[in-house]
Amino acid sequence: MFIVDFILEVVGYTTARFALPVLTFGKVRVEKISSSETGFGWVGFKRSTDGSYLCQAPMAGWIGLLPWVLGIILVVTLI
């Protein structure tokens, strides 16, 4: 489980922390990993007071992992 947690929290979360605000032009932000925010919906998002969306850290880990998994699949299928 340590390896899965490491991949999700370090690789996925870090990717999402940088990519989501850039790709959504600042409409989606990722919560800090040590945050104690509550009130997220079942998909891991909630609306902030400024109108933007806040993504829950575990969901951000999965979202950030998607480009890496898709890239690995693409490389493996092309080789």
Side-chain angles (χ1 to χ4, degrees):
M1 246 6 225
F2 176 74
I3 294 172
V4 174
D5 288 338
F6 175 80
I7 290 171
L8 275 176
E9 290 181 5
V10 174
V11 176
Y13 174 79
T14 304
T15 302
R17 183 103 171 136
F18 291 113
L20 277 177
V22 172
L23 294 174
T24 63
F25 301 106
K27 294 287 186 188
V28 177
R29 294 179 293 118
V30 176
E31 78 169 330
K32 292 187 167 95
I33 200 126
S34 62
S35 177
S36 61
E37 293 270 345
T38 59
F40 290 95
W42 64 276
V43 291
F45 289 89
K46 78 175 188 177
R47 188 178 292 272
S48 298
T49 56
D50 63 354
S52 64
Y53 289 97
L54 187 63
C55 181
Q56 195 174 19
M59 179 57 91
W62 287 106
I63 292 171
L65 205 59
L66 277 174
W68 292 103
V69 170
L70 292 174
I72 290 170
I73 290 171
L74 183 67
V75 167
V76 168
T77 57
L78 292 178
I79 292 178

